[in-house]
Amino acid sequence: MNPSVWLALLGAGTLISFTPGAGAVNTMSNALTVGFRRAIWGIAGQQAALLIHILVVAAGLGLLVASSPVAFSIIRYAGSAYLIYLGVRKFLAAPEPEEAASARSLEGPLSMFRRGLWVNLLNPKAVVFFLAFIPQFIEPQKPLLGQYGVLAGTVVAIDVLVMWFFYAAAARSFQRYTRSHRGQKALNRVFGSLFVTVGVLLAFA
């Protein structure tokens, strides 16, 4: 991949990562629950899903998903239902005493990784997006493996930096609200509503 194409990829990838979505909501929610540092496990799950999407597109399976209304709808509604489920659960979550909140902050890395994976994986529009996005930066006449490696590495690196150092870091400004029952309730409703909103948009947009 020549430098000019890579710089274009860098710019496009940065703009895409800064666009709010389910991954951003999940990252901020994790950062508030388990802290800035441990939020990386959820981000890692989201990146694993991005890599799977890229592999699907590179293997040509993405075209099958995009061209099959049934497959597309099944994945879309499953993803929407999962996000709405997370949102309702978050919205209805009762405020916790400080001791319980501390215990909850011990959520295991695997649990956060798995949730991040499903949040990004159950989004068929990501496959369709990558189908339109990836060909702009791939030169078919050159070896594909190295190009896909650079593309995947760049996209993942950008998304990790944006999710961790922008969205997770931004959640720090809300942490003072987690010290009171009223603040916890407000944040649960805000993030619950955001999950539900993204889920509804995924289903009907």
Side-chain angles (χ1 to χ4, degrees), residues 122-189:
L122 290 173
N123 184 359
K125 293 188 177 181
V127 175
V128 176
F129 170 78
F130 278 120
L131 274 173
F133 178 78
I134 288 177
Q136 311 302 319
F137 305 98
I138 297 296
E139 299 176 79
Q141 71 277 13
K142 295 183 179 180
L144 296 178
L145 184 60
Q147 293 185 76
Y148 275 106
V150 171
L151 184 145
T154 301
V155 169
V156 167
I158 291 170
D159 204 54
V160 168
L161 291 173
V162 171
M163 289 296 136
W164 207 15
F165 292 103
F166 181 76
Y167 286 111
R172 286 178 168 179
S173 60
F174 297 102
Q175 283 184 331
R176 64 182 182 274
Y177 296 110
T178 63
R179 299 177 189 135
S180 69
H181 280 214
R182 184 176 181 181
Q184 287 182 44
K185 188 174 183 179
L187 288 175
N188 286 344
R189 290 186 173 180

Side-chain angles (χ1 to χ4, degrees), residues 5-178:
V5 173
W6 183 80
L7 287 174
L9 172 65
L10 185 67
T14 301
L15 288 174
I16 293 163
S17 289
F18 272 109
T19 303
V25 176
N26 186 59
T27 297
M28 294 185 73
S29 178
N30 281 340
L32 281 171
T33 304
V34 302
F36 170 79
R37 291 184 180 180
R38 297 185 69 239
I40 190 63
W41 293 107
I43 296 171
Q46 293 168 200
Q47 305 319 306
L50 286 184
L51 290 175
I52 292 172
H53 282 309
I54 292 173
L55 286 173
V56 165
V57 171
L61 299 177
L63 187 60
L64 295 177
V65 174
S67 60
S68 171
V70 174
F72 185 88
S73 295
I74 289 173
I75 300 173
R76 178 179 63 172
Y77 290 124
S80 175
Y82 182 65
L83 290 174
I84 291 173
Y85 160 74
L86 290 178
V88 171
R89 191 175 68 174
K90 188 75 174 176
F91 189 94
L92 298 177
E96 300 172 329
E98 187 174 346
E99 296 79 6
S102 298
R104 191 181 175 192
S105 70
L106 297 177
E107 180 185 9
L110 181 59
S111 174
M112 288 185 286
F113 181 94
R114 186 168 54 246
R115 187 168 61 251
L117 175 71
W118 286 114
V119 162
N120 268 7
L121 193 60
L122 290 173
N123 184 359
K125 293 188 177 181
V127 175
V128 176
F129 170 78
F130 278 120
L131 274 173
F133 178 78
I134 288 177
Q136 311 302 319
F137 305 98
I138 297 296
E139 299 176 79
Q141 71 277 13
K142 295 183 179 180
L144 296 178
L145 184 60
Q147 293 185 76
Y148 275 106
V150 171
L151 184 145
T154 301
V155 169
V156 167
I158 291 170
D159 204 54
V160 168
L161 291 173
V162 171
M163 289 296 136
W164 207 15
F165 292 103
F166 181 76
Y167 286 111
R172 286 178 168 179
S173 60
F174 297 102
Q175 283 184 331
R176 64 182 182 274
Y177 296 110
T178 63

